[in-house]
Amino acid sequence: MILNLDPKFTPILNKEEIKFQSFTFSGGEPHIKINPDFDNTQKVTITHRLNSFNDLGLLCITVDALRRMEVKIIDLFIPYFPAARQDRVMIKGESLSVKVYADIINALQLNKVFVFDAHSEVTPALVNNCEVIPNHTFIAAVLKVIGENVKLISPDGGALKKIYKVSEFLGGIEVVECSKSRDVKTGRLSGFKVYEDDLNGMDCLIVDDICDGGGTFVGLAEELKKKNAGKLYLAVSHGIFNKGFEVLDCFDAIFTTNSVKDFEGESVQVIGLDQLI
């Protein structure tokens, strides 16, 4: 059985959907009423995109409602784990935000929590019964569009372990390592480096988990061109794009999933998670 809290987000196909009604009271509190006409002896999988604390609140009351309906086994699929980037305290005064979300979700005592392409190993370490779905099939789907004659570009050290696993999954596509510097107080980026002398006109696909403003990828694209790169492509599992797509016009194509939101009429190619999991 499946309960898709976001009616526009249906990542798991071929399962019977549980019907419900939800709304938000004028004071801001979420409310849900689940139709009891389903087999409560079966496992229920909840899917949702957690983009706000209100989304998290709806998830919490949904689990409570299912427990009161005597559903014993509840799984959860949240593709983009909230606050995953705040997985360490860099300066005094910051919160360890990912742990705040993890503690709330752990309190729900779920059977399994599935996350798509977790930002780091911190999320599955903090979330009980967590299983990470890698980005391998996503990148394979991208290569079906652009072709496999590319180099995979790792934008920084944090992405290295995951991108080499992608390369192995794809049969050993060459990886080019890169790096950048970030001021932990201001967030300003600088010092982009590409650790290859000449890319010989090869097309390059930058692979990462999140694109927020896109500063990392714009700075890296400039350095790749200096190293004689061919066409430039960007593939990010979780597309936020808060500065729009004009800032990313250095790329020949951009790919993402619908893990965070839907894109209509935008300059991005979306591969739905229903095609990948």
Side-chain angles (χ1 to χ4, degrees), residues 10-210:
T10 56
I12 301 174
L13 303 177
N14 303 318
K15 284 193 177 185
E16 182 181 349
E17 286 198 43
I18 297 173
K19 297 179 180 179
F20 68 94
Q21 294 177 316
S22 68
F23 62 89
T24 303
F25 286 107
S26 56
E29 304 96 336
H31 176 75
I32 192 165
K33 184 176 181 180
I34 300 173
N35 189 327
D37 187 22
F38 70 94
D39 183 358
N40 66 354
T41 66
Q42 293 190 42
K43 178 176 70 176
V44 173
T45 300
I46 302 171
T47 74
H48 203 22
R49 297 186 285 199
L50 300 186
N51 293 324
S52 70
F53 259 99
N54 210 55
D55 292 334
L56 180 62
L58 179 59
L59 168 62
C60 291
I61 65 171
T62 299
V63 172
D64 180 75
L66 290 172
R67 298 284 191 211
R68 294 176 187 278
M69 300 171 81
E70 299 185 348
V71 175
K72 302 300 183 185
I73 304 176
I74 303 175
D75 286 353
L76 172 64
F77 176 56
I78 41 174
Y80 172 62
F81 196 89
R85 289 172 289 176
Q86 194 68 41
D87 59 1
R88 52 186 169 165
V89 177
M90 300 295 293
I91 58 176
K92 188 176 181 179
E94 290 184 339
S95 68
L96 188 58
S97 303
V98 68
K99 189 175 186 300
V100 175
Y101 280 92
D103 287 347
I104 293 171
I105 290 173
N106 287 343
L108 300 176
Q109 297 183 329
L110 300 166
N111 178 60
K112 291 285 185 182
V113 178
F114 296 93
V115 177
F116 178 64
D117 195 9
H119 179 63
S120 71
E121 295 178 348
V122 175
T123 295
L126 291 175
V127 179
N128 296 339
N129 306 316
C130 183
E131 291 192 13
V132 176
I133 300 170
N135 64 342
H136 301 172
T137 55
F138 168 52
I139 302 305
V142 170
L143 293 183
K144 287 183 179 179
V145 178
I146 66 174
E148 297 185 359
N149 191 28
V150 298
K151 292 179 183 285
L152 299 181
I153 308 299
S154 174
D156 51 40
L160 271 179
K161 183 182 293 186
K162 287 197 292 184
I163 202 166
Y164 275 113
K165 288 182 179 179
V166 172
S167 173
E168 181 180 2
F169 177 81
L170 297 172
I173 293 180
E174 183 180 351
V175 172
V176 176
E177 299 181 14
C178 304
S179 67
K180 66 178 185 289
S181 300
R182 183 188 297 271
D183 188 316
V184 296
K185 292 183 177 180
T186 65
R188 186 171 298 139
L189 298 168
S190 62
F192 294 95
K193 293 182 180 179
V194 177
Y195 296 104
E196 188 157 326
D197 294 332
D198 190 349
L199 294 169
N200 297 306
M202 284 284 293
D203 296 343
C204 296
L205 172 64
I206 300 176
V207 177
D208 210 353
D209 61 318
I210 301 169

Side-chain angles (χ1 to χ4, degrees), residues 153 178 192-194 196-204 206 217-233 249-252:
I153 308 299
C178 304
F192 294 95
K193 293 182 180 179
V194 177
E196 188 157 326
D197 294 332
D198 190 349
L199 294 169
N200 297 306
M202 284 284 293
D203 296 343
C204 296
I206 300 176
F217 309 118
V218 172
L220 185 55
E222 184 177 341
E223 292 304 310
L224 288 168
K225 283 298 185 182
K226 290 179 182 178
K227 295 296 181 76
N228 194 27
K231 292 182 178 180
L232 297 181
Y233 302 103
D249 61 4
C250 50
F251 291 98
D252 292 271

